[in-house]
Amino acid sequence: MAKYRSSVTALYNKVVNFNVESLFSRHPGPGIPRTVFFNQNLPDSYFDPKGKPKKEHVYPTNQVISSKYTIITFLPRNLLEQFRRIANIFFAFIAILQFFPEFSTISPGLVIIPILIVLSITAIKDGYEDVKRHQSDRHVNHSQVRVLAGGDWVNPNLNGRKSRTFVRGIVPRRRPKRKDVEAGSTTKQDPDIEYDRADSMEEVEHHMFGDAGEIIRPHWHKTMWEDIRVGDFVKIMNDEPIPADLLICATSEDENVAFVETKNLDGETNLKSRNACPALTDLHTAASCVSTLNPFTIDCDRPDTNMYRFNATVTRNGEKSPVDVQTVLLRGTVLRNTDWVIGVVLFTGTETKIVLNSGGTPSKRSRVEKQINPQVLANLAILAIMAVVCGIADSQIEAVQYAEGAPWLYGDDVSNDNPRINGLITWAFALITFQNIVPISLYISIEFVKTCQALFIYFDYDIFYVKKNQPTIARSYNLSDDLGQIEYIFSDKTGTLTQNSMVFRECSIAGTVYHGDPEEDEDEDIKKTSGNSTDVVRETSNDSSYASTSVRGDDPAVLSAADVTAVKLSSGVLKHFRDERLSQDLARAVEAEPDSENAAQARSLNGFFSVLALCHTVLTAVDPVTGAIEYKAQSPDEAALVQAAADVGFIFRGREKEILLLQTPFSKETERYELLNILEFTSARKRMSVIIKKLDEQDGRLFLLTKGADNVIFERLKAGGDDWKRTTEAHLEDFANAGLRTLTLAYKVIQEDEYEAWSERYHEASTALEDREDKIEAVCNEIEQELRLLGATAIEDRLQDGVPETIADLKVAGIKVWVATGDKLETAIGSTSHIFDTAIGRSTNLIAEDSNIIIIRGSDRPVEHQMIQAVEEFFPDSGILDEHGIASKSPSTESTSAFPMRRLSLGVRDIVGDDNGNRPGGFVLVIDGAALDHALPDDDNKALLLRLATQCEGVICCRVSPLQKALVVKMVKDGLHVMTLAIGDGANDVSMIQAADVGVGISGEEGLQAVNSSDYAIAQFRFLKKLLLVHGHWSYARNGIMIVNFFYKNIVCIGVLWWFQIYCGWSSAYAFEYTYLLFWNSFWTIAPVLGIGLFDRIVDADVLMAFPELYRYGRERTWFSMKSFLIYMIDGVIQSVPIYFIITYAYFTTTSRTDGYSIELYEYSTTMVFATVIAVSLFNGLNTNVWTAWVFFAVFIGIIILWIFTAVYDAISPGWTVTNVYGNNYYLFTSAYFWLCQPLVIAIALLPRYLYRAWQLGYAPGDLEMLRYIRKTRPDLDMATLRSESTRSKPYASSRRRTSSHMSRASIACSSADNLSLDPRMAQDPRGASRTDMSTGIRSVYRGFDFATEEGGVAMRRMQTNLSERRQSSRNLPSIQQSPPKRSLRLFSSLRRKATLKKDD
């Protein structure tokens, strides 16, 4: 029995989880390794004996389709999707049943029209939505890229055919025909053809030969993305997206380095450096690519989803060269700061990594729609019982009365006419009679209402982005009610929550803090500068002269940064740093004498901004249009630091090889520094240093310039200056409390003999074969000691407008917000701390100053052990380990001995003690992609991770791939059975958006891929608040109340018909004239429920916005559930009792006719029709919360139509058409019973619901009732004011007030002091958030540090290699001479030189 039950359960789950996409989506399976051939023919093994290519060697096209349907699959797939609705199957069965004569009611053609209308309208809506997807796909697939052509070039590799879609199939693309000019005139060059500059000398010869010469010569032809094939050579220009997965052959830059922006893939905003494959660097022109003298092959591994792995081998002239991810450009990335790149296509379309990480377009159904199915099944079960009862009762009555000789049963003893057969026919006819128990108009009404709700969203000016003239668009109309039930939000960070634009806010120099000038004109300044920057970039993005000065500095045709005076606002930097007080201090410092009281401040200012201007990897570029310097940085925060230095006069003018050029206010000439070493930034080091030598005859000292996290800098400072350190540390606390990203600066002067010895050790470490990284770190740590503190910086990673307030209200609404980002761990924590600290303050503190951060990362220590120890240490009473049965195998003993929890010393201040985990800020879980790789595939680890995450107030997933984002969403959605929403703006968010119940795309800086795959498209994250709290809540409440009222109004009608069966021998006969039943859901009762779905408001929009707590009604599924369904069904059955029996016995007592004749059936049944229609209409009105003019119209229009119809229909004479009710109005409206029964029956039917509503409002009002009452009695009251008053009345209200994103940092600091809780745990120092890294056991304090740059990138390796080679070749340090007399420690000699000049004067 148990085995049978399990098999039935398995079958049921299989049916319930049936996925339509599985029937229509292609499953090619895992790809196979491939060999791509260039300038040579394919081997014979690639073809079968008939000469046809083998299937495994035919590669997919580069066409990417996110739409669901094609012309061929639209009809079957759409019908399958629609027939997932059980009601549609039932309606189709009933319609087919009526085609048989035995069950015919009216014309069979008319019977099938309703179901056809329902299916057609839904199909048209789905088709329209998919056409929009096709248009978006067309926009992407028809983007153009330069592909090698001419010169007899042939790509031998084989590609499949492109798919035909709606747009391509119906409206073929017509390209304009080329028009020939008159004979003798100059031939006009095809605009789609471009030649390399090396061929420019042949232009004259080219024009002499005309068109034929153009075609023969190797060139680059602009081709659509979808026409790119595996094996094509492509040329990508600066700022152009990459169309496929490419192997780099050559670039425009020295040493063939290219810079690429990968935020569409991994969300990281800092630029990555890539280099060309060394074996192919000579293929830098079209002619060299075409030459048959350059044959080679590329052996590639099978396509996979790992974004950080790429294995291939280039074979050329018998020599093999390795290929890894550093030599590859992936589709979805964008080329930056590089004039051009030539590459070969290795993977296209569905085999590119970004597409492999995104799933197919899902067919999403709302939760309400899914809940309707069991309710429809319940009604079908009721219908089946009613039909069976009618069939059995009719059969038994016929069997008994036939034996008694009933005359109407004469001859009912033949094979096709006997009690048994007639009982079966009565059963089938009962299905037709009571079919309205499942209203066919329900689904079409829902579709209509949801379409109107989508239009309400579209026309809502509050969520209309005026700047871009962009409304909020519902791309999937059927998910509006899901917006009102969201429990978890998964958000990308960059571009979604942050603008990825930096503002240099404040700095602390020598104990003095500079806050920057007031921000009253900041918005205008930002708008003006960003607008100008955008225009310039657009105009010059493809101009080859707009290049790095470090690369093209020797080209006389290119402007040199050393000759330029203006500095343009860098990309990603919103505004210039201005501080009047700083300007005055600098002016005094420039004029200060070496021995004056201002000399120390002058040295500090000079040193501070010199470190900002020299300690970096920024490149300079000169805009040929404006003639201004622009800084090209791998990350916007690094650009903001160099930009800030330039804003105050310390202008970095670029680099010439290893020579750095700097202009300062302290020197009239450009200062020159030789770059000796770069001690690069890593997540472990948390600092970056450069060793430079000043090229000055009078001052040739060596300097170590360092910037990094405050803890690593402070513990390396020279002893002394404690007051200065304490002041700087206090400033750092203030910066962090304001949500700013901090960085600490320091320096030291290095003696030449010390550097000589250290340089030898560094060289040995950098060339070591074993433990190279550890040895380099040890040697770097040696010289990064005894530093002198200069100060600290504070940068704001500008949030999107309204993000803090939006997140605060979403949290108040009970929605949990998770962040999934591709950023590295430090950036994820830093930026998210800014976001959530500013947004929520100390009320919920996802990451606040007093949060406890649990870090789980992929390392040598198993991820499972890290999670178990985290549970044991921080949540010992949660019972998680007992639930998973792993308490017995807890590795706590061995793990604590192998990885003991230890504190990371901060040098100056160590405020983390044994009380970790008791801080009042709660817990935040941070997990990286490497840890998810181990946790997600294993069911036990995934369950443990989910339980651990639910114990925390926030979760941040960093360094995650697009596929991992989707898996995290599915883990929460399937594991907790909650409603999820994912929001993002880039291609790396597509999988997450598709995996969530509701996907929201932001049309931001990262393209439209997220919008194209989303269900809702918004322009700003802040619009999500009204979309959920107002439109979502309204839609869910409207749809839920509408549906249960829909079932109610039909069960009342069915109940009346059912009670009639008692008096008609259970024959399934109609009590009403059939026309009244036919129009029941079309005219009489459809308007009131539509009025609820369109115009009802549980409360007004401003109330929902002011009180986000009301959203809990949606999260708790208050408005639509099986409980509410049963209540309304029972209410309908109860109301049908007085309607039928009171009217029946009123008419059956004494005839209502004045002539004494008995009544006809339709006389009293029409009275029932009137009473039922009026009762259900008023009942629907009673369930409406706001009576507007539209609601009045909806409630009474059906009643008015019924009266008019009855008067007209009953008056139609047989001369026009034969009806069964001709003349009925003569008896109906003159009957006293008709007028007596209407008010009596209606009042009795509505009395229970009326009494319940009166009791609820008077004695048990909820939040909604009270707010509606307040709005009714005080319509002019501002609900936001009421909210603030009610908040202040609570004893803990002060700690729950939200801060504005535009609130000044001073006010934030003041409010922080005022909002302290009385919790005894707050007696601790709340200024540092405790962090526990479960992979290492290190506990530390977080104080706002964040810095983003590429770690171990190609560009950095190239620079290190150049420095190493230069050291080996020249050993350019001068011989150690006798040390000069000891001088006062000045960072640079500008002041000394100035004093010397004055003495000479």
Side-chain angles (χ1 to χ4, degrees):
M1 184 64 182
K3 183 178 180 180
Y4 172 76
R5 187 182 299 109
S6 62
S7 62
V8 171
T9 303
L11 179 62
Y12 174 79
N13 291 332
K14 186 175 181 180
V15 173
V16 170
N17 298 323
F18 170 71
N19 195 356
V20 176
E21 291 84 5
S22 61
L23 299 178
F24 296 93
S25 59
R26 297 177 181 177
H27 302 282
I32 62 173
R34 67 179 60 179
T35 301
V36 186
F37 294 84
F38 300 88
N39 294 317
Q40 56 185 300
N41 295 327
L42 296 179
D44 294 337
S45 60
Y46 275 46
F47 302 90
D48 60 18
K50 295 182 179 180
K52 296 182 179 180
K54 295 181 180 179
K55 184 179 298 185
E56 62 268 21
H57 300 304
V58 178
Y59 309 125
T61 68
N62 202 43
Q63 186 183 43
V64 175
I65 299 176
S66 63
S67 52
K68 291 195 295 185
Y69 307 116
T70 65
I71 295 177
I72 297 175
T73 64
F74 175 71
L75 188 61
R77 180 171 182 174
N78 190 262
L79 288 177
L80 277 175
E81 289 177 353
Q82 293 200 59
F83 279 106
R84 288 188 299 182
R85 298 170 174 171
I86 297 174
N88 284 346
I89 299 176
F90 170 72
F91 298 144
F93 170 74
I94 293 297
I96 294 172
L97 191 65
Q98 294 183 68
F99 272 82
F100 296 94
E102 293 84 354
F103 311 109
S104 178
T105 54
I106 54 178
S107 172
L110 295 177
V111 169
I112 205 170
I113 285 178
I115 184 64
L116 290 180
I117 292 176
V118 171
L119 297 177
S120 299
I121 292 177
T122 304
I124 291 172
K125 178 186 71 70
D126 293 341
Y128 173 77
E129 292 177 357
D130 207 59
V131 165
K132 291 296 184 182
R133 295 190 185 98
H134 279 276
Q135 292 173 348
S136 300
D137 292 339
R138 178 186 174 90
H139 176 75
V140 174
N141 291 327
H142 286 206
S143 300
Q144 290 193 332
V145 67
R146 298 161 185 81
V147 178
L148 180 65
D152 297 328
W153 159 252
V154 175
N155 182 358
N157 302 281
L158 304 170
N159 280 67
R161 294 182 178 180
K162 294 184 294 186
S163 300
R164 310 293 288 184
T165 65
F166 267 129
V167 180
R168 284 187 62 86
I170 298 176
V171 185
R173 181 174 184 263
R174 296 182 180 179
R175 301 194 62 178
K177 296 181 179 180
R178 181 170 178 174
K179 298 181 180 179
D180 296 330
V181 297
E182 296 179 2
S185 62
T186 304
T187 304
K188 194 171 183 178
Q189 182 177 343
D190 189 339
D192 289 344
I193 293 178
E194 295 182 5
Y195 296 90
D196 293 319
R197 289 189 175 185
D199 299 333
S200 60
M201 299 300 295
E202 305 175 15
E203 286 296 325
V204 177
E205 178 183 356
H206 152 67
H207 288 303
M208 290 174 59
F209 289 98
D211 295 350
E214 290 188 14
I215 299 174
I216 294 174
R217 294 177 59 222
H219 58 266
W220 303 102
H221 188 270
K222 290 184 179 179
T223 306
M224 292 186 296
W225 278 23
E226 65 180 7
D227 293 328
I228 295 176
R229 302 169 55 204
V230 172
D232 277 341
F233 283 90
V234 297
K235 186 174 184 180
I236 311 297
M237 306 302 290
N238 189 34
D239 293 331
E240 289 185 349
I242 309 302
D245 291 352
L246 312 176
L247 172 64
I248 305 174
C249 296
T251 78
S252 61
E253 305 300 296
D254 281 352
E255 301 175 349
N256 287 296
V257 175
F259 294 93
V260 64
E261 183 180 77
T262 62
K263 62 184 179 182
N264 276 348
L265 293 183
D266 54 23
E268 290 200 31
T269 55
N270 53 294
L271 299 184
K272 309 294 194 308
S273 55
R274 299 287 185 262
N275 65 291
C277 178
L280 304 176
T281 53
D282 59 318
L283 304 180
H284 53 78
T285 64
S288 59
C289 295
V290 167
S291 176
T292 55
L293 300 178
N294 294 323
F296 61 95
T297 60
I298 302 178
D299 300 310
C300 304
D301 200 355
R302 68 179 72 248
D304 64 1
T305 59
N306 193 325
M307 309 290 293
Y308 308 103
R309 182 179 63 194
F310 198 104
N311 296 324
T313 303
V314 176
T315 304
R316 186 178 184 185
N317 300 327
E319 297 182 359
K320 294 186 176 181
S321 301
V323 173
D324 58 18
V325 72
Q326 292 292 343
T327 58
V328 172
L329 298 179
L330 300 181
R331 177 176 176 139
T333 59
V334 180
L335 188 67
R336 301 291 189 196
N337 296 354
T338 309
D339 288 348
W340 54 261
V341 164
I342 293 177
V344 292
V345 179
L346 300 182
F347 294 100
T348 54
T350 56
E351 291 183 340
T352 58
K353 289 189 179 293
I354 190 172
V355 177
L356 288 173
N357 274 274
S358 60
T361 304
S363 297
K364 296 183 179 180
R365 301 168 63 205
S366 69
R367 174 185 279 175
V368 168
E369 184 178 342
K370 295 175 183 177
Q371 288 177 311
I372 290 177
N373 272 350
Q375 298 175 0
V376 170
L377 283 175
N379 278 4
L380 289 177
I382 296 172
L383 175 62
I385 293 173
M386 295 168 67
V388 168
V389 170
C390 287
I392 293 175
D394 181 65
S395 176
Q396 291 299 317
I397 290 174
E398 288 193 23
V400 172
Q401 293 191 353
Y402 179 81
E404 296 177 354
W408 58 86
L409 299 176
Y410 177 78
D412 287 358
D413 58 353
V414 295
S415 60
N416 62 346
D417 189 6
N418 58 67
R420 290 186 177 181
I421 293 297
N422 291 340
L424 181 62
I425 293 175
T426 300
W427 171 83
F429 206 85
L431 296 179
I432 300 174
T433 301
F434 305 121
Q435 64 176 298
N436 276 352
I437 196 173
V438 183
I440 190 172
S441 58
L442 171 62
Y443 286 103
I444 195 65
S445 300
I446 293 175
E447 296 289 347
F448 173 75
V449 166
K450 289 186 175 182
T451 301
C452 292
Q453 290 169 353
L455 293 176
F456 294 158
I457 293 174
Y458 180 85
F459 289 111
D460 188 345
Y461 193 77
D462 290 340
I463 51 178
F464 178 86
Y465 194 38
V466 179
K467 183 178 179 180
K468 292 186 177 180
N469 194 32
Q470 181 179 340
T472 298
I473 300 174
R475 297 172 56 86
S476 296
Y477 290 177
N478 62 325
L479 300 178
S480 58
D481 40 48
D482 280 352
L483 293 173
Q485 306 172 71
I486 301 300
E487 297 171 75
Y488 280 80
I489 291 179
F490 298 85
S491 175
D492 179 42
K493 181 184 73 69
T494 305
T496 302
L497 301 178
T498 66
Q499 298 180 19
N500 193 36
S501 297
M502 306 297 171
V503 177
F504 189 95
R505 283 295 183 194
E506 304 180 47
C507 58
S508 173
I509 306 174
T512 302
V513 63
Y514 298 96
H515 295 290
D517 287 342
E519 306 172 5
E520 60 269 7
D521 297 327
E522 178 180 344
D523 293 337
E524 289 75 7
D525 183 32
I526 291 173
K527 187 183 300 183
K528 177 177 64 178
T529 54
S530 62
N532 294 339
S533 175
T534 303
D535 293 339
V536 171
V537 171
R538 287 178 179 173
E539 293 174 5
T540 63
S541 59
N542 292 328
D543 194 326
S544 62
S545 65
Y546 194 47
S548 168
T549 58
S550 64
V551 178
R552 296 289 181 259
D554 54 347
D555 188 346
V558 180
L559 293 173
S560 172
D563 303 326
V564 177
T565 58
V567 179
K568 176 185 175 183
L569 198 63
S570 302
S571 175
V573 182
L574 284 180
K575 66 187 292 285
H576 294 283
F577 178 67
R578 302 184 183 94
D579 190 289
E580 183 64 27
R581 180 181 167 206
L582 176 61
S583 300
Q584 295 173 1
D585 289 349
L586 273 172
R588 286 194 296 268
V590 170
E591 300 298 330
E593 298 294 337
D595 299 327
S596 66
E597 59 181 7
N598 292 329
Q601 183 186 30
R603 288 193 295 270
S604 298
L605 291 172
N606 190 15
F608 181 88
F609 288 106
S610 295
V611 172
L612 287 184
L614 294 173
C615 185
H616 55 75
T617 58
V618 172
L619 302 177
T620 56
V622 178
D623 187 344
V625 176
T626 62
I629 296 176
E630 181 180 7
Y631 296 121
K632 300 284 188 177
Q634 290 186 345
S635 62
D637 51 352
E638 192 169 49
L641 296 173
V642 183
Q643 181 75 55
D647 291 338
V648 298
F650 291 78
I651 302 176
F652 175 64
R653 291 192 170 278
R655 64 185 78 226
E656 298 174 356
K657 299 297 183 181
E658 285 76 39
I659 305 302
L660 308 180
L661 306 178
L662 177 65
Q663 174 187 335
T664 74
F666 293 89
S667 177
K668 296 181 179 179
E669 300 176 0
T670 300
E671 298 179 357
R672 297 164 58 86
Y673 298 90
E674 183 179 5
L675 179 63
L676 300 179
N677 296 93
I678 299 177
L679 312 184
E680 56 186 292
F681 175 90
T682 66
S683 297
R685 283 171 42 81
K686 297 183 181 178
R687 63 191 182 277
M688 173 188 176
S689 301
V690 296
I691 300 177
I692 60 174
K693 177 183 179 181
K694 186 166 186 180
L695 301 180
D696 191 323
E697 295 178 358
Q698 301 179 16
D699 186 3
R701 286 177 297 168
L702 304 176
F703 298 96
L704 172 74
L705 312 181
T706 303
K707 63 183 181 183
D710 58 301
N711 60 331
V712 297
I713 298 297
F714 272 73
E715 66 184 5
R716 289 166 172 79
L717 293 179
K718 188 176 182 179
D722 292 338
D723 293 338
W724 185 352
K725 294 175 185 177
R726 281 193 294 268
T727 303
T728 303
E729 201 170 31
H731 293 162
L732 282 167
E733 300 291 356
D734 294 337
F735 297 160
N737 289 342
L740 301 178
R741 303 164 68 154
T742 63
L743 203 63
T744 307
L745 309 184
Y747 83 101
K748 72 181 278 190
V749 179
I750 308 175
Q751 298 300 321
E752 292 180 349
D753 54 349
E754 178 188 357
Y755 175 75
E756 181 74 17
W758 176 87
S759 181
E760 292 292 339
R761 294 194 300 274
Y762 180 79
H763 176 69
E764 293 175 1
S766 61
T767 57
L769 298 179
E770 297 181 358
D771 301 327
R772 178 181 299 177
E773 291 77 10
D774 294 338
K775 292 180 180 179
I776 291 177
E777 170 59 23
V779 175
C780 292
N781 191 52
E782 288 179 11
I783 202 167
E784 293 173 326
Q785 300 292 335
E786 299 295 313
L787 303 176
R788 291 180 175 273
L789 180 65
L790 287 170
T793 64
I795 295 177
E796 177 187 0
D797 186 358
R798 179 61 67 88
L799 301 180
Q800 297 283 354
D801 293 339
V803 165
E805 296 84 358
T806 300
I807 292 180
D809 286 327
L810 293 177
K811 294 290 291 182
V812 173
I815 302 174
K816 298 177 177 61
V817 182
W818 288 23
V819 175
T821 178
D823 282 352
K824 60 186 176 68
L825 187 141
E826 285 293 342
T827 304
I829 294 177
S831 299
T832 312
S833 173
H834 178 194
I835 293 165
F836 288 98
D837 175 50
T838 307
I840 307 170
R842 290 179 172 82
S843 57
T844 54
N845 287 316
L846 183 57
I847 292 186
E849 295 86 352
D850 50 2
S851 294
N852 304 279
I853 305 175
I854 303 172
I855 301 175
I856 295 178
R857 67 171 93 205
S859 63
D860 295 335
R861 189 182 185 196
V863 173
E864 180 185 13
H865 291 188
Q866 297 182 47
M867 293 190 293
I868 292 175
Q869 185 174 353
V871 173
E872 288 181 334
E873 180 168 359
F874 301 115
F875 310 107
D877 300 327
S878 62
I880 296 177
L881 300 182
D882 295 334
E883 293 175 9
H884 292 82
I886 56 178
S888 59
K889 61 177 183 178
S890 170
S892 59
T893 304
E894 56 173 323
S895 64
T896 52
S897 59
F899 297 92
M901 286 294 169
R902 60 188 188 278
R903 293 182 295 164
L904 185 63
S905 175
L906 299 182
V908 177
R909 178 176 289 128
D910 185 4
I911 60 173
V912 177
D914 297 331
D915 56 356
N916 180 47
N918 293 323
R919 294 185 176 277
F923 291 88
V924 176
L925 176 65
V926 180
I927 185 168
D928 66 3
L932 290 174
D933 276 337
H934 294 87
L936 293 178
D938 184 81
D939 291 338
D940 293 335
N941 287 343
K942 182 165 67 174
L944 179 60
L945 172 62
L946 184 59
R947 290 288 285 116
L948 175 61
T950 55
Q951 294 294 315
C952 299
E953 295 187 13
V955 177
I956 304 171
C957 303
C958 57
R959 203 69 173 175
V960 290
S961 67
L963 185 59
Q964 286 176 326
K965 289 185 178 183
L967 293 177
V968 170
V969 173
K970 291 179 180 177
M971 175 186 71
V972 175
K973 182 175 72 172
D974 299 335
L976 301 178
H977 304 289
V978 293
M979 186 67 68
T980 59
L981 180 145
I983 181 170
D985 71 326
N988 60 317
D989 304 315
V990 169
S991 298
M992 176 175 69
I993 286 173
Q994 292 177 337
D997 294 292
V998 179
V1000 178
I1002 297 180
S1003 54
E1005 302 294 333
E1006 302 182 24
L1008 297 175
Q1009 294 95 328
V1011 170
N1012 294 342
S1013 303
S1014 67
D1015 304 305
Y1016 290 87
I1018 62 178
Q1020 295 275 289
F1021 182 86
R1022 58 191 169 96
F1023 294 159
L1024 190 64
K1025 175 182 175 181
K1026 188 169 186 181
L1027 187 64
L1028 297 184
L1029 301 188
V1030 178
H1031 289 286
H1033 203 171
W1034 274 354
S1035 297
Y1036 175 48
R1038 288 168 172 173
N1039 294 349
I1041 297 173
M1042 179 189 72
I1043 292 170
V1044 292
N1045 278 275
F1046 225 112
F1047 284 118
Y1048 152 80
K1049 72 183 184 62
N1050 279 39
I1051 199 65
V1052 174
C1053 175
I1054 296 302
V1056 173
L1057 296 179
W1058 173 253
W1059 304 129
F1060 176 71
Q1061 302 306 311
I1062 300 173
Y1063 300 92
C1064 69
W1066 303 95
S1067 61
S1068 300
Y1070 296 111
F1072 305 153
E1073 203 274 335
Y1074 186 74
T1075 307
Y1076 289 108
L1077 286 177
L1078 187 65
F1079 293 151
W1080 182 263
N1081 289 313
S1082 302
F1083 297 109
W1084 319 141
T1085 59
I1086 189 67
V1089 289
L1090 289 180
I1092 293 175
L1094 294 176
F1095 307 115
D1096 189 24
R1097 299 193 303 271
I1098 46 177
V1099 285
D1100 292 339
D1102 61 324
V1103 178
L1104 292 174
M1105 293 287 282
F1107 293 88
E1109 298 90 340
L1110 298 176
Y1111 192 78
R1112 69 178 178 85
Y1113 288 99
R1115 289 188 298 101
E1116 296 170 358
R1117 309 177 194 179
T1118 304
W1119 307 114
F1120 188 68
S1121 63
M1122 185 60 73
K1123 176 183 177 181
S1124 61
F1125 166 76
L1126 293 175
I1127 291 174
Y1128 276 80
M1129 291 289 287
I1130 294 173
D1131 207 340
V1133 173
I1134 293 174
Q1135 291 184 31
S1136 68
V1137 172
I1139 291 175
Y1140 179 80
F1141 287 101
I1142 291 178
I1143 294 177
T1144 298
Y1145 284 104
Y1147 273 85
F1148 279 14
T1149 53
T1150 305
T1151 179
S1152 62
R1153 295 190 180 185
T1154 56
D1155 56 8
Y1157 285 96
S1158 61
I1159 62 171
E1160 288 288 337
L1161 170 64
Y1162 294 140
E1163 289 184 44
Y1164 85 94
S1165 66
T1166 305
T1167 303
M1168 294 181 191
V1169 171
F1170 274 83
T1172 307
V1173 169
I1174 296 174
V1176 299
S1177 297
L1178 294 179
F1179 182 85
N1180 294 154
L1182 197 59
N1183 293 323
T1184 304
N1185 297 294
V1186 178
W1187 278 73
T1188 62
W1190 286 107
V1191 173
F1192 271 101
F1193 174 81
V1195 169
F1196 293 103
I1197 186 63
I1199 301 173
I1200 295 173
I1201 292 176
L1202 176 64
W1203 280 81
I1204 296 174
F1205 172 83
T1206 301
V1208 174
Y1209 187 59
D1210 290 358
I1212 297 176
S1213 65
W1216 291 91
T1217 184
V1218 177
T1219 65
N1220 296 322
V1221 292
Y1222 173 63
N1224 186 45
N1225 54 359
Y1226 176 78
Y1227 300 101
L1228 181 67
F1229 298 133
T1230 59
S1231 172
Y1233 291 158
F1234 174 83
W1235 300 103
L1236 174 64
C1237 289
Q1238 295 300 322
L1240 179 63
V1241 169
I1242 293 171
I1244 294 175
L1246 297 180
L1247 186 61
R1249 176 55 63 111
Y1250 176 80
L1251 293 176
Y1252 168 74
R1253 292 297 299 270
W1255 171 83
Q1256 182 185 40
L1257 182 61
Y1259 296 96
D1263 295 335
L1264 296 175
E1265 287 76 18
M1266 288 188 288
L1267 288 170
R1268 281 197 292 265
Y1269 179 79
I1270 294 173
R1271 172 50 54 90
K1272 182 68 176 179
T1273 56
R1274 302 175 62 186
D1276 298 331
L1277 178 64
D1278 184 6
M1279 286 297 169
T1281 303
L1282 177 64
R1283 168 59 189 263
S1284 62
E1285 291 176 355
S1286 62
T1287 305
R1288 284 196 298 268
S1289 65
K1290 299 177 182 179
Y1292 54 87
S1294 60
S1295 65
R1296 300 187 61 88
R1297 285 198 294 270
R1298 302 187 299 275
T1299 59
S1300 170
S1301 60
H1302 298 289
M1303 186 179 293
S1304 67
R1305 293 173 298 282
S1307 62
I1308 293 176
C1310 294
S1311 63
S1312 300
D1314 296 336
N1315 294 344
L1316 293 178
S1317 170
L1318 297 178
D1319 193 318
R1321 294 179 297 178
M1322 289 296 292
Q1324 310 170 55
D1325 190 334
R1327 291 178 293 178
S1330 171
R1331 298 169 59 178
T1332 304
D1333 191 333
M1334 305 308 298
S1335 64
T1336 62
I1338 293 178
R1339 289 177 181 165
S1340 61
V1341 171
Y1342 175 72
R1343 274 202 297 245
F1345 162 73
D1346 186 32
F1347 184 69
T1349 188
E1350 181 185 20
E1351 298 182 20
V1354 175
M1356 181 63 72
R1357 294 207 306 265
R1358 294 284 189 184
M1359 296 176 69
Q1360 298 283 29
T1361 302
N1362 291 340
L1363 294 174
S1364 178
E1365 290 175 352
R1366 182 171 58 84
R1367 179 185 183 281
Q1368 285 291 98
S1369 61
S1370 62
R1371 295 296 180 96
N1372 57 354
L1373 277 177
S1375 59
I1376 302 175
Q1377 302 176 357
Q1378 185 176 359
S1379 300
K1382 189 171 183 181
R1383 297 167 294 186
S1384 61
L1385 288 178
R1386 300 186 183 95
L1387 182 57
F1388 300 104
S1389 61
S1390 304
L1391 293 177
R1392 182 175 57 81
R1393 178 185 301 150
K1394 180 180 177 182
T1396 303
L1397 292 174
K1398 288 194 173 185
K1399 288 181 180 180
D1400 294 339
D1401 294 339

